[in-house]
Amino acid sequence: TDLVEPVSLDESYLDVTENKVGSRSATSIARQVKARIRKELGLTASAGVGPNKFIAKVASGLKKPDGLVVVRPGEMEQFLKDLPVGVVWGIGRVTESRLKAMGVRTVGELAALPVEVMEREFGKGGIRLWELAHGRDDSPVNPIRERKSISQEHTFDTDVASAELVRRVVRGQAEKVAERARRSGLQGRTVILKLRYADFRLITRSKTLAHPVDDATELYSEVLSLFDKAEIGRRPVRLVGVGLANLVGEESRQLSLF
């Protein structure tokens, strides 16, 4: 199928309603893909087969590292009902805590709530959560995914108070981000510094440049200029990240006069 939507380095959605092997069975195609990955790469792979992206995603994670879970259209709510509510897209730790305070711990318990309650508690997003709890997801498999940013993060083993150590890590991150940008034929107009302090507070500082960059030295210099907007050296740091956003192709770059 040409309808392949990459999600991460090792995960994709495939819409095989129409497919290049003429198969009427998505399960058969999943088995073929798993077998080819094992034969050609020597790696295991897990697959989830379902009527939509949400169901397939949840199914794919249930029997790793070499699983195949199939959920048919009439089985969706039964499949979901005993799973922890955190598997639903859009439910993070804060929302999960709020739901637990409401007595909701499983997807089935969420689905049993009146939709009006979810809308009252969580706004329009609550309606979406309720729909997913019933296995309803009409989002298409989109093979065109525009890359929005390139980033590199590092979590320290212990809290770091040394600004010099953070600078050294940032230097290496700038080199890796710049290399990935050039390899992808991209440049970024916005430079990003991301920090998580020892108290787990997460901040980002950014700067939009007059021209896009893909050079490690220039990127590092611009990230260092963001240090003044943070508290590096004054507050211990647990995580640091460097990123490029507002990406453009290399052909879009306007060279400076000088």
Side-chain angles (χ1 to χ4, degrees):
T1 175
D2 290 322
L3 294 177
V4 179
E5 178 180 342
V7 180
S8 61
L9 184 66
D10 64 347
E11 187 173 17
S12 296
Y13 295 109
L14 284 71
D15 184 339
V16 296
T17 308
E18 303 290 337
N19 57 78
K20 297 185 177 185
V21 293
S23 175
R24 299 181 64 181
S25 169
T27 304
S28 173
I29 291 174
R31 289 197 179 103
Q32 290 177 53
V33 172
K34 281 169 53 66
R36 284 189 61 183
I37 290 172
R38 183 184 286 275
K39 180 180 179 181
E40 296 178 21
L41 303 175
L43 299 171
T44 60
S46 292
V49 178
N52 56 54
K53 288 166 62 173
F54 171 61
I55 294 294
K57 166 65 176 175
V58 175
S60 71
L62 290 185
K63 292 188 178 180
K64 291 187 174 185
D66 192 24
L68 173 58
V69 176
V70 180
V71 183
R72 292 172 176 81
E75 304 170 344
M76 294 189 294
E77 292 195 55
Q78 182 67 25
F79 165 72
L80 291 169
K81 73 180 184 67
D82 294 326
L83 296 177
V85 75
V87 304
V88 176
W89 287 343
I91 296 183
R93 284 183 295 179
V94 174
T95 303
E96 187 172 6
S97 296
R98 288 180 61 188
L99 286 168
K100 285 181 178 178
M102 296 165 59
V104 175
R105 295 180 178 272
T106 67
V107 180
E109 289 169 343
L110 171 55
L113 289 176
V115 67
E116 295 81 10
V117 172
M118 288 298 294
E119 184 176 17
R120 184 184 70 234
E121 295 292 329
F122 301 99
K124 290 184 178 179
I127 300 175
R128 169 67 171 162
L129 299 180
W130 186 85
E131 292 280 354
L132 289 172
H134 285 270
R136 302 168 191 166
D137 172 34
D138 59 1
S139 57
V141 172
N142 180 10
I144 302 172
R145 288 173 61 90
E146 183 179 350
R147 192 166 195 171
K148 295 181 179 180
S149 66
I150 300 172
S151 62
Q152 185 80 25
E153 296 181 3
H154 176 78
T155 301
F156 297 103
D157 293 331
T158 58
D159 300 330
V160 171
S162 167
E164 179 56 35
L165 175 55
V166 176
R167 277 195 292 270
R168 288 204 301 271
V169 171
V170 164
R171 175 77 203 200
Q173 291 176 326
E175 291 173 353
K176 290 178 181 177
V177 169
E179 179 185 358
R180 286 169 57 194
R182 290 194 301 273
R183 198 164 58 232
S184 301
L186 296 169
Q187 298 173 319
R189 294 182 182 277
T190 302
V191 174
I192 301 168
L193 172 66
K194 179 178 179 180
L195 293 168
R196 176 172 280 121
Y197 295 118
D199 62 2
F200 293 98
R201 186 167 74 93
L202 183 68
I203 69 160
T204 58
R205 299 291 181 262
S206 63
K207 180 180 182 181
T208 298
L209 310 176
H211 62 274
V213 299
D214 63 2
D215 176 76
T217 301
E218 189 172 4
L219 174 57
Y220 175 60
S221 175
E222 297 294 351
V223 172
L224 283 187
S225 72
L226 295 171
F227 273 42
D228 294 336
K229 298 180 180 180
E231 298 175 82
I232 298 171
R234 300 193 298 277
R235 295 183 61 182
V237 171
R238 176 50 65 100
L239 173 147
V240 63
V242 169
L244 269 178
N246 199 0
L247 301 176
V248 297
E250 288 179 335
E251 70 280 358
S252 301
R253 179 168 184 172
Q254 174 68 50
L255 299 176
S256 75
L257 181 61
F258 301 104

